[in-house]
């Protein structure tokens, strides 16, 4: 079923009128808020009387389909501003997609390198979550293996400041374990570890490790690692190598629409 122009215009007017965070008219501080009917009348009056001003004010809130509807308008200024808003929206969408893809490519590289998403590094970034999901289920041998892989056992190969930071991190982890052990009223930390480990299977421990890794990956992708310099990724087009096909598709789509717009304009001029 083909949607009529009247239905499209009614949807546009209703969409803007329902918004409460946009400008409708100048009001004094003590004036009552406009109700829906009042907002709808203001929007419709502007839509009918000055389409260019309407798009200048509200075009950013319209969908691509609603903006495309105005590309066939008889007023050249209306067509031009509709096309401009469309390009801005498409560019913004492409930029966000590019950033998401760049972070994803960087994440895959970091996973392959193995350091950034190693247990020790993830523990240092989120010690409380690590202890809750992994640390409290480690036995003594596993805990020693984890500590052996940390900087405290390699201080002769790193700076003294890094060594002090690592010692401070381990002190914090010991404090967390003491707090956890007090919850179980255990007489010693080792006994607490043994009691906890009796309540979880090896398979469950592996599932928790995988879930913790996935949470840390998602946090990275969402720009949640506060000490990570995301500008090295977000503005680095070297990470676009695996996304070239995606970008070409977006560019082809954009230029196809540009060519179509130009053809429509030429046809209207001829007619």
């Amino acid at each position: 079923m083909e949607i009529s122009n009247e239905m499209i215009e009614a949807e546009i007017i209703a969409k803007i009128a329902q918004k409460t965070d946009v400008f409708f008219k100048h009001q004094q501080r003590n004036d009552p808020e406009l109700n829906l009917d009042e907002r709808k009348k203001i929007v419709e009056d502007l839509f009918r009387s000055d389409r260019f001003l309407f798009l200048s004010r509200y075009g950013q809130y319209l969908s691509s389909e609603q903006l495309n509807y105005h590309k066939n308008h008889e007023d050249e200024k209306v067509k031009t501003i509709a096309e401009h808003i469309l390009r801005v929206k498409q560019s913004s969408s492409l930029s966000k997609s590019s950033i998401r893809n760049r972070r994803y490519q960087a994440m895959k590289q970091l996973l392959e390198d193995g350091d950034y998403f190693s247990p020790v590094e993830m523990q240092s970034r989120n010690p409380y979550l690590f202890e809750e999901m992994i640390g409290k289920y480690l036995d003594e041998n596993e805990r020693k293996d984890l500590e052996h892989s940390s900087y405290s056992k390699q201080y002769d190969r790193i700076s003294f400041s890094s060594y002090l930071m690592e010692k401070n991190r381990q002190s914090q982890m010991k404090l967390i374990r003491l707090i956890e052990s007090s919850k179980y009223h255990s007489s010693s930390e080792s006994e607490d570890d043994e009691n906890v480990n009796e309540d979880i299977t090896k398979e469950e421990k592996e599932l928790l490790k995988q879930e913790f890794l996935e949470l840390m990956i998602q946090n990275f992708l969402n720009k949640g690692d506060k000490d990570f310099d995301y500008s090295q990724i977000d503005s680095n087009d070297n990470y676009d190598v695996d996304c070239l096909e995606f970008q070409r598709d977006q560019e082809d789509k954009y230029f196809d629409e540009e060519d179509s717009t130009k053809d429509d304009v030429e046809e209207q001029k001829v007619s």
Side-chain angles (χ1 to χ4, degrees):
M1 177 181 176
E2 186 175 348
I3 301 177
S4 66
N5 291 347
E6 290 77 11
M7 292 178 63
I8 295 174
E9 293 178 359
E11 288 179 358
I12 292 173
I13 293 169
K15 181 176 185 177
I16 302 302
Q18 288 171 0
K19 301 185 73 66
T20 58
D21 56 347
V22 300
F23 173 81
F24 291 101
K25 73 171 187 176
H26 291 290
Q27 289 183 279
Q28 299 298 322
R29 178 175 297 179
N30 296 326
D31 288 349
E33 291 187 5
L34 299 171
N35 60 40
L36 179 59
D37 289 337
E38 290 172 329
R39 297 198 302 269
K40 185 175 181 180
K41 185 178 188 312
I42 293 172
V43 172
E44 185 169 8
D45 287 347
L46 182 61
F47 184 86
R48 304 298 180 196
S49 63
D50 194 335
R51 193 70 60 88
F52 178 81
L53 180 57
F54 175 87
L55 290 177
S56 300
R57 185 175 294 174
Y58 304 122
Q60 60 181 310
Y61 305 110
L62 302 183
S63 66
S64 297
E65 292 77 10
Q66 291 168 338
L67 287 168
N68 275 317
Y69 170 74
H70 290 89
K71 289 164 64 174
N72 296 320
H73 197 274
E74 59 185 10
D75 189 334
E76 196 68 31
K77 291 191 303 181
V78 172
K79 289 190 290 187
T80 300
I81 193 172
E83 292 166 2
H84 171 73
I85 297 171
L86 267 172
R87 285 195 296 269
V88 171
K89 289 172 71 74
Q90 290 166 351
S91 175
S92 175
S93 176
L94 177 59
S95 177
K96 291 178 181 178
S97 297
S98 296
I99 289 175
R100 285 197 300 268
N101 278 281
R102 287 173 183 177
R103 289 182 192 168
Y104 180 74
Q105 297 303 323
M107 178 272 294
K108 290 200 301 182
Q109 183 175 319
L110 290 171
L111 273 175
E112 186 176 341
D113 293 343
D115 186 31
Y116 190 79
F117 286 107
S118 67
V120 171
E121 289 297 317
M122 291 190 293
Q123 180 190 35
S124 68
R125 292 199 296 277
N126 199 329
Y128 294 99
L129 184 62
F130 179 90
E131 185 64 22
E132 184 65 26
M133 298 185 70
I134 297 177
K136 69 181 182 181
Y137 299 118
L138 297 177
D139 58 33
E140 283 302 310
N141 290 331
E142 290 172 327
R143 197 174 290 281
K144 286 179 180 179
D145 288 341
L146 182 65
E147 292 178 353
H148 282 183
S149 64
S150 68
Y151 287 141
S152 64
K153 299 300 180 180
Q154 306 172 41
Y155 64 88
D156 57 327
R157 289 186 286 168
I158 61 174
S159 67
F160 184 64
S161 60
S162 296
Y163 168 67
L164 291 178
M165 289 175 61
E166 175 59 23
K167 294 298 291 183
N168 180 60
R169 184 188 67 80
Q170 289 197 7
S171 297
Q172 290 180 342
M173 293 307 302
K174 287 181 180 179
L175 177 60
I176 294 173
R177 291 199 295 272
L178 285 173
I179 294 173
E180 286 294 325
S181 66
S182 67
K183 293 179 181 179
Y184 295 95
H185 306 286
S186 175
S187 60
S188 68
E189 185 175 303
S190 61
E191 290 177 357
D192 178 67
D193 288 338
E194 291 173 1
N195 290 336
V196 173
N197 276 288
E198 290 176 357
D199 298 330
I200 187 170
T201 66
K202 184 177 180 180
E203 290 75 15
E204 288 172 331
K205 287 170 67 174
E206 290 302 318
L207 286 174
L208 283 172
K209 288 180 181 179
Q210 183 61 35
E211 184 178 351
F212 176 71
L213 174 60
E214 291 173 358
L215 287 172
M216 296 300 289
I217 288 174
Q218 194 60 48
N219 191 65
F220 172 81
L221 294 175
N222 291 335
K223 202 177 180 179
D225 291 353
K226 61 181 181 179
D227 294 326
F228 190 90
D229 184 5
Y230 283 90
S231 65
Q232 295 181 358
I233 296 174
D234 295 353
S235 58
N236 188 347
D237 58 9
N238 288 329
Y239 288 105
D240 293 339
V241 174
D242 295 329
C243 307
L244 289 178
E245 184 175 354
F246 164 80
Q247 290 183 331
R248 281 197 296 268
D249 289 343
Q250 294 295 318
E251 290 171 358
D252 290 344
K253 179 181 178 182
Y254 169 73
F255 286 116
D256 286 345
E257 291 180 353
E258 282 284 283
D259 293 340
S260 176
T261 300
K262 292 178 181 177
D263 291 342
D264 291 342
V265 171
E266 291 299 326
E267 288 178 3
Q268 290 176 1
K269 287 182 178 179
V270 172
S271 60

